[in-house]
Amino acid sequence: MVATAPAPALKRTVGRRMLLVFVVGDILGAGIYALTGRVAGEVGGAIWIPFVVAFALAALTATAYAELVGRFPRAAGAAVYAQRAFGRPFVTFLVAFAVLMSGITSASAAARAFGGDYLAELVTVPTLVAAWVFVLVIAVVNAIGVAESVRVNLVLTAIEVTGLVVILVIGARAFLAGEGDPSRAMTLAADGPAWMAVLGGTALAFYALLGFEDSVNLAEECQHPRRDFPRALFGGIAITGVIYLAVAFTTSMLVETDTLAESSGPLLEVVRVAGLVFPPWLFALIALVAVSNTALINMIMASRVVYGMSREGIVPGWLGRVGTRRRTPWTAIAFTTVIALTLVSTGDLSGLADTTVLLLLLVFATVNVSVLVLRRRSRSDDDAKPAGDAERGFRAPTWAPVLGAVVSLVLASPLTGRDADVYARAGILLAIGVVLYVVNRAFVGPEGQAERIALAVDQGDPAGTHES
């Protein structure tokens, strides 16, 4: 018999400050640059209200993530929690696939935003053509290599933060000088009931703050996940919340609501009314960088998820082929790129962003319910008490995950005024996953596939994404 050496564990090098920076950087992105105007179209000048509600509701789900990270400090996030709570490989697969598809729809929304008003400030190109070229360029960067992609990401993150700082400086200067109309930011205007308008605006505003859930994938590399993760998670949400509220207030104070509602580059409108404080063309360039960063992060994640699922035998093996030269998963990149190209051809900015939100709201509901199921089961688990980490983990007040699950399902329901094509799009994307699951099951066998999914999740990576 030949002894097999255990697989090496991930190195715990991420401290609290680094984790906080990661959470903040992951939330900041294309959403605030592209969707502020769409939110204005729902609620009028009081853009900040949907953002406040969205952040409050996200904080509810964040309590569930904070507790579950303490119990299961694994790299696979929601898929781990679903597997431990329900023990159903198909449910685990659907959760992982929903997260995967949300990344592609998010990148597709960013592509539509790229081809909008920000690009029009520099050159005149049809929106769809620009979006196609954008997706293909992102695919090329992704295929060159992950190390190069990460370096690009760091630069783009610094630039996108600079753009938000510019807006905040413009807003502070205008407020102190008595410019603009602060009362407009207090005006809630809607065609129907106010609560319906706020609910619809909140569903869109959610897109701007998505990303906090990605930080759970660093749990296995945190030095003290039980102690540091909750603080970094809630701290990151609070910091980005303040930034977004200030940006939303500034935007509404300085720009007419009708102008915002019709613009796919709402923050550019702020720079334009500010005169010569900052060149509009330069800000447009910064915004395009921010949008590109969001798309790059999501497409890297999506392609590695597909590759990892193939490697674990969860989806067909041909999706896991790796190029001999660059050693990147070219078939997975091609697969996710084809889906993204199809999405940008069939959906607009609001619809694609809303599809992203819908998919993740379903994941959030599952995570919140998982907390309650695991508590009720109250079984001891060695993985829930990792060696060398004796701190008492965060425990969410019971009402938080209960309310978080209810709110997630309400926001995912037609009560928000969400268009039927958003539900159709999300259903088709999940159906693609079901087809891949069934096809692979026919070759691997139901028992073999279930064993592979359960084993991969127990190892902390249902799709090999983190290691990849």
Side-chain angles (χ1 to χ4, degrees):
M1 296 179 63
V2 180
T4 302
L10 297 174
K11 188 175 182 180
R12 295 188 178 276
T13 58
V14 179
R16 188 187 310 169
R17 292 181 181 178
M18 186 184 301
L19 187 59
L20 176 63
V21 171
F22 181 87
V23 173
V24 172
D26 217 11
I27 295 176
L28 297 178
I32 191 66
Y33 278 91
L35 286 178
T36 308
R38 299 293 191 270
V39 175
E42 295 283 340
V43 299
I47 307 172
W48 58 275
I49 294 179
F51 280 101
V52 168
V53 177
F55 271 99
L57 300 183
L60 294 175
T61 297
T63 64
Y65 275 105
E67 177 173 333
L68 289 170
V69 163
R71 290 170 60 87
F72 310 108
R74 302 293 195 185
V80 168
Y81 314 145
Q83 177 65 22
R84 292 304 178 92
F86 307 110
R88 302 285 184 179
F90 182 66
V91 174
T92 304
F93 171 81
L94 279 183
V95 170
F97 203 79
V99 174
L100 157 66
M101 285 300 171
S102 71
I104 300 178
T105 55
S106 178
S108 301
R112 294 290 301 196
F114 186 93
D117 292 344
Y118 289 121
L119 184 63
E121 183 70 19
L122 303 175
V123 294
T124 302
V125 180
T127 299
L128 187 56
V129 173
W132 282 340
V133 173
F134 175 81
V135 170
L136 292 174
V137 170
I138 291 295
V140 170
V141 174
N142 192 0
I144 289 175
V146 70
E148 292 81 1
S149 300
V150 169
R151 294 190 190 102
V152 172
N153 168 248
L154 291 174
V155 175
L156 300 187
T157 298
I159 295 174
E160 74 179 0
V161 171
T162 301
L164 295 179
V165 171
V166 169
I167 295 298
L168 295 179
V169 171
I170 289 175
R173 174 184 174 278
F175 186 80
L176 294 175
E179 299 174 357
D181 183 8
S183 65
R184 184 164 49 230
M186 301 299 172
T187 303
L188 182 61
D191 295 334
W195 68 270
M196 286 279 290
V198 171
L199 207 57
T202 300
L204 282 174
F206 240 101
Y207 178 77
L209 59 89
L210 293 177
F212 72 89
E213 74 284 354
D214 288 340
S215 58
V216 300
N217 292 305
L218 288 181
E220 210 166 333
E221 294 171 276
C222 290
Q223 295 172 351
H224 303 285
R226 289 187 173 185
R227 183 190 69 190
D228 293 345
F229 184 82
R231 298 177 184 179
L233 180 60
F234 296 123
I237 290 176
I239 291 171
T240 53
V242 171
I243 294 173
Y244 277 9
L245 289 179
V247 170
F249 184 87
T250 296
T251 304
S252 185
M253 178 182 69
L254 293 178
V255 183
E256 294 285 346
T257 303
D258 291 342
T259 302
L260 284 177
E262 296 173 359
S263 176
S264 60
L267 300 191
L268 181 60
E269 306 297 338
V270 176
V271 177
R272 284 172 176 164
V273 301
L276 298 177
V277 175
F278 199 86
W281 67 267
L282 181 56
F283 186 84
L285 192 59
I286 292 174
L288 292 175
V289 167
V291 170
S292 302
N293 193 32
T294 296
L296 178 61
I297 292 173
N298 281 295
M299 292 305 282
I300 289 175
M301 180 274 291
S303 61
R304 269 56 181 185
V305 168
V306 173
Y307 161 75
M309 284 182 170
S310 174
R311 190 187 66 175
E312 297 295 341
I314 299 172
V315 296
W318 62 267
L319 287 169
R321 294 175 183 170
V322 176
T324 56
R325 183 178 179 185
R326 288 290 179 177
R327 306 296 297 173
T328 51
W330 68 270
T331 54
I333 293 172
F335 176 74
T336 53
T337 300
V338 168
I339 294 178
L341 289 171
T342 303
L343 288 171
V344 299
S345 303
T346 57
D348 59 10
L349 171 59
S350 296
L352 292 170
D354 211 4
T355 304
T356 304
V357 171
L358 175 60
L359 290 168
L360 285 180
L361 283 172
L362 297 176
V363 173
F364 291 168
T366 304
V367 170
N368 281 294
V369 173
S370 296
V371 172
L372 302 174
V373 171
L374 289 167
R375 280 188 187 178
R376 186 174 181 179
R377 188 172 300 160
S378 298
R379 67 183 183 187
S380 61
D381 191 310
D382 292 338
D383 288 334
K385 298 178 181 179
D389 192 1
E391 302 102 338
R392 182 179 179 181
F394 175 86
R395 181 179 174 85
T398 302
W399 58 266
V402 171
L403 189 56
V406 172
V407 165
S408 296
L409 292 175
V410 169
L411 287 177
S413 74
L415 288 174
T416 58
R418 185 176 285 114
D419 293 336
D421 66 320
V422 174
Y423 291 101
R425 186 181 299 112
I428 291 171
L429 292 175
L430 292 179
I432 292 173
V434 173
V435 170
L436 291 174
Y437 184 91
V438 171
V439 169
N440 197 61
R441 177 175 173 146
F443 288 96
V444 177
E447 293 183 1
Q449 189 173 28
E451 182 180 355
R452 285 175 180 271
I453 294 176
L455 178 61
V457 171
D458 283 339
Q459 292 174 341
D461 194 1
T465 56
H466 196 72
E467 181 181 343
S468 300

